[in-house]
C-alpha cells in the first residue's frame, strides 16, 4: 500500500524552471534544498496534494546531468512513500527487483530513499521513501 509522494523532473536550470512551473501550476515553489549525496539542487511544488520535485544537477557528471545528456529534460522518477523502507526493500529483492542502492540513502525532505531499476518497471525509475523518525 504505497502512498504517492512526488514526481521528479530533471531540468537544466532551476532558475528558469521554477518560474515556469510557478506559472504552470499557479502556485509558488515552497522549498528548495540541495541534496549533496545525489549532486542535485531540488525545488518542490504542491498542487492539490500532488507534489512535484524539480532536479538540477550541481555536478556535470552527476546522475541528473547524465540523464539529461541521454534523454533530455523530463520525467525522471516517481516516488512512493512506504511505512518501512527496510522491509519494503527486502520484499522487492525477494520479488526479483533490482535495487540501485543496497541500503537506504539520504534524500530531500529528511527522507530515507531507495531506487528501483527502471528496467524492472517498464522504463520508469521508482523511488521509495520513508520519513525519518
Ligand atoms: Zn524524488
Amino acid at each position: 500500500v504505497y502512498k504517492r509522494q512526488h514526481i521528479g523532473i530533471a531540468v537544466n536550470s532551476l532558475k528558469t524552471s521554477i518560474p515556469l512551473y510557478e506559472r504552470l501550476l499557479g502556485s509558488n515553489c515552497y522549498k528548495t534544498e540541495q541534496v549533496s549525496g545525489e549532486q542535485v539542487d531540488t525545488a518542490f511544488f504542491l498542487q492539490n496534494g500532488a507534489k512535484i520535485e524539480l532536479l538540477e544537477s550541481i555536478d556535470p557528471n552527476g546522475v541528473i546531468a547524465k540523464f539529461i545528456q541521454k534523454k533530455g529534460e523530463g520525467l525522471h522518477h516517481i516516488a512512493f512513500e512506504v511505512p518501512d523502507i527496510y522491509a519494503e526493500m527486502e520484499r522487492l529483492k525477494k520479488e526479483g527487483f533490482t535495487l540501485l542502492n543496497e541500503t537506504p540513502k539520504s534524500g530531500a525532505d529528511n527522507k530515507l530513499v531507495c531506487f528501483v531499476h527502471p528496467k524492472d518497471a517498464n522504463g520508469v525509475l521508482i523511488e521509495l521513501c520513508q520519513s525519518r523518525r
Side-chain angles (χ1 to χ4, degrees):
V1 240
Y2 291 178
K3 229 168 79 187
R4 184 191 54 211
Q5 228 287 332
H6 62 266
I7 292 170
I9 297 171
V11 304
N12 281 319
S13 160
L14 287 183
K15 214 176 121 205
T16 56
S17 293
I18 288 174
L20 171 70
Y21 272 80
E22 286 180 338
R23 275 196 296 131
L24 178 70
L25 301 172
S27 66
N28 289 332
C29 169
Y30 69 90
K31 167 174 152 156
T32 57
E33 182 183 347
Q34 186 165 98
V35 185
S36 45
E38 298 288 310
Q39 307 107 21
V40 289
D41 276 332
T42 64
F44 285 92
F45 297 83
L46 205 56
Q47 174 70 315
N48 271 332
K51 201 187 268 187
I52 290 177
E53 173 188 37
L54 302 182
L55 305 131
E56 176 190 341
S57 190
I58 53 173
D59 174 344
N61 296 312
V63 284
I64 293 299
K66 284 189 181 141
F67 176 88
I68 291 177
Q69 277 161 27
K70 247 202 281 183
K71 300 191 170 177
E73 294 178 293
L75 178 64
H76 179 258
H77 65 270
I78 296 178
F80 298 102
E81 174 114 39
V82 297
D84 179 347
I85 197 165
Y86 293 93
E88 196 53 29
M89 287 169 71
E90 272 312 303
R91 189 186 72 80
L92 289 172
K93 263 194 267 183
K94 280 194 197 125
E95 291 284 352
F97 288 92
T98 307
L99 304 180
L100 295 183
N101 46 300
E102 280 297 304
T103 52
K105 305 195 275 188
S106 287
D109 246 358
N110 198 29
K111 292 202 185 318
L112 292 172
V113 302
C114 174
F115 291 94
V116 178
H117 200 293
K119 76 175 164 63
D120 293 343
N122 297 114
V124 178
L125 178 64
I126 303 290
E127 172 188 336
L128 305 176
C129 60
Q130 180 204 316
S131 295
R132 272 185 224 269
R133 307 196 176 105

